[in-house]
Amino acid sequence: MMHLNASEKRVICSNPDSVFRYFGWPSVTRLADGTLAMVASGFRLKHVCPFGKGIICYSRDEGETWTAPAVVMDTPLDDRDCGIVNFGQGRTILTSFNNTIAAQRRWNATQNGDHKWSSDVRRDFSEAYLRVIEEMNVEERYIGSTYRISEDGGYTFGAVRRSPVTAPHGPCTLADGSLFYVGRRFSQDDSFDNGSEAYIQCWRMNEKDELEYVSSIENIYSDGELLYSCEPHSIQLPDGKIIVHIRVQKYSGEKSYFTVFQSESKDGGKTFSKPRQLLRDLGGSPAHLMLHSSGVLISTYGYREAPYGERVMFSYDGGETWNTDYILDDTARSGDLGYPATVELRDGSLLTVYYENTGDAAVIMQQTWTLPSK
């Protein structure tokens, strides 16, 4: 393990003067006009609550300063992980997903550890809101993996639409400008019958902005036991190969997993290789992929074992091999953190955003850093 040459982390998005001060699961990109845009779920009571909204912040000075968070996805349900991706001719897609009222109630009743309610009042507050939206019958209209499309390069967004898959950082853009969405098949209860359906599916957006099924990535097993796969991120390299990093986890039985597996396609996403494990069993997840202008492939991921923080792995051969466990930060107070996403700055350095629970609130952090020597 090696520490990267990085700046001190600093808060770039928070809401300290409100009870709604939990922010999490960010993504970042450079818009067509050069502005940096960061999206996340925010204005929440805590990690799981019904009040989450998708927010966006902009930076026109390479991350030195950011605008205050503005709401950009606000269904009556809990709008969670946000992704943002440019595609086509100056278009931008914002992605998210939400949970059912029943799922919210289960979390209300069972939250523990870092996610435990600090008082019955907050739990009752959430339950009161759930009763209101239940009476409004909002689920039929809004439940699902959601997205909105911007026609002006990421400043105003169209109607909320629904996708068959979800991924925290959204889809990737292929060489022809189209969107390729590798995600977990959206399920209201997160369940699949006996593992007969693939957790991770691949869809492509057509000219009508409709997602069409392309392929699936086979499920992952350990000693015959199905492991839960979710939260993938994909990228297409200049040679056409598509690489997918998949969060794989299991916390029951004798062996636990919280790690990253990789699958690849060399035929435009029609077929994918059997996923292979990149990190140790508890090596961290989920990952975000980006290609540096130097040709180095970068994958950032959260590390939820002590010392808690954010880590990076690098590939110099198009994802064939990886140098893992470079430390971006190892000073977090708990495992309630992660979902880092990275963008290249104009001088070739990197800017990574992620969330971290500081104890009083969960905030969006950033660090700038440089590539290590090969």
Side-chain angles (χ1 to χ4, degrees):
M1 293 183 293
M2 180 182 298
H3 282 81
L4 293 166
N5 180 20
S7 67
E8 291 188 9
K9 62 185 179 183
R10 64 183 179 92
V11 176
I12 63 168
C13 183
S14 63
N15 193 31
D17 298 322
S18 169
V19 296
F20 298 104
R21 54 186 179 177
Y22 192 107
F23 289 76
W25 321 299
S27 297
V28 66
T29 195
R30 187 180 295 279
L31 301 178
D33 67 359
T35 300
L36 298 181
M38 187 280 296
V39 294
S41 178
F43 299 119
R44 316 173 57 83
L45 277 179
K46 62 191 301 82
H47 191 101
V48 180
C49 78
F51 302 109
K53 308 176 191 301
I55 62 95
I56 191 166
C57 302
Y58 301 98
S59 175
R60 295 177 176 86
D61 55 11
E62 296 294 272
E64 290 297 320
T65 61
W66 292 85
T67 61
V71 174
V72 71
M73 178 71 78
D74 187 14
T75 72
L77 300 167
D78 174 19
D79 301 306
R80 299 184 66 80
D81 313 3
C82 284
I84 187 166
V85 178
N86 301 311
F87 71 104
Q89 299 296 317
R91 309 179 79 201
T92 304
I93 187 170
L94 170 88
T95 58
S96 184
F97 84 100
N98 50 50
N99 285 324
T100 63
I101 292 172
Q104 288 287 325
R105 285 203 168 108
R106 287 197 300 272
W107 275 92
N108 251 3
T110 62
Q111 288 188 89
N112 52 41
D114 282 339
H115 307 160
K116 185 176 181 179
W117 292 110
S118 59
S119 70
D120 290 341
V121 173
R122 293 191 181 191
R123 183 178 62 245
D124 294 344
F125 180 30
S126 295
E127 175 56 31
Y129 177 79
L130 291 173
R131 289 200 301 271
V132 170
I133 62 173
E134 191 172 41
E135 290 178 358
M136 296 171 62
N137 297 314
V138 300
E139 284 190 337
E140 181 178 350
R141 181 176 178 185
Y142 292 107
I143 190 68
S145 174
T146 54
Y147 66 94
R148 302 179 69 187
I149 292 177
S150 170
E151 304 291 349
D152 62 3
Y155 292 98
T156 62
F157 290 83
V160 177
R161 304 178 69 173
R162 286 186 281 190
S163 163
V165 291
T166 181
H169 301 300
C172 71
T173 306
L174 299 183
D176 63 2
S178 64
L179 283 176
F180 191 69
Y181 203 162
V182 182
R184 176 183 61 80
R185 181 176 176 272
F186 184 83
S187 171
Q188 294 189 16
D189 59 4
D190 273 354
S191 67
F192 294 84
D193 294 335
N194 301 318
S196 59
E197 279 191 276
Y199 282 125
I200 307 301
Q201 296 185 350
C202 311
W203 295 66
R204 188 165 183 166
M205 186 169 282
N206 62 24
E207 295 179 351
K208 298 179 180 179
D209 291 339
E210 299 167 336
L211 288 162
E212 298 178 339
Y213 175 79
V214 178
S215 61
S216 294
I217 297 176
E218 65 180 272
N219 287 336
I220 299 168
Y221 293 82
S222 174
D223 297 326
E225 181 180 4
L226 177 65
L227 304 181
Y228 184 54
S229 302
C230 62
E231 299 186 330
H233 192 237
S234 56
I235 190 171
Q236 186 177 42
L237 301 184
D239 64 2
K241 180 167 64 174
I242 298 173
I243 293 180
V244 181
H245 280 187
I246 304 166
R247 171 178 173 171
V248 176
Q249 67 183 59
K250 182 179 79 76
Y251 293 113
S252 60
E254 295 182 359
K255 194 172 186 181
S256 295
Y257 289 88
F258 184 71
T259 189
V260 174
F261 276 64
Q262 177 173 302
S263 182
E264 305 167 12
S265 175
K266 297 181 179 179
D267 57 9
K270 296 177 183 177
T271 61
F272 278 85
S273 64
K274 180 179 180 179
R276 60 186 175 94
Q277 187 170 344
L278 298 183
L279 302 175
R280 292 170 288 110
D281 292 348
L282 295 176
S285 219
H288 173 271
L289 288 156
M290 65 88 61
L291 185 66
H292 191 263
S293 58
S294 65
V296 178
L297 185 59
I298 299 170
S299 182
T300 47
Y301 53 99
Y303 188 72
R304 293 184 170 179
E305 303 294 314
Y308 308 109
E310 314 299 327
R311 297 195 177 187
V312 188
M313 55 180 151
F314 303 94
S315 178
Y316 299 91
D317 55 11
E320 294 297 319
T321 61
W322 290 89
N323 297 340
T324 65
D325 285 325
Y326 283 79
I327 297 172
L328 179 61
D329 176 69
D330 60 358
T331 63
R333 66 179 295 273
S334 76
D336 189 12
L337 56 73
Y339 293 73
T342 303
V343 66
E344 184 175 350
L345 300 180
R346 290 193 178 97
D347 63 1
S349 63
L350 290 306
L351 181 149
T352 296
V353 299
Y354 54 91
Y355 94 93
E356 181 179 315
N357 191 329
T358 62
D360 295 326
V363 298
I364 306 301
M365 299 277 196
Q366 79 166 32
Q367 287 181 266
T368 56
W369 52 282
T370 55
L371 288 173
S373 301
K374 184 175 178 180

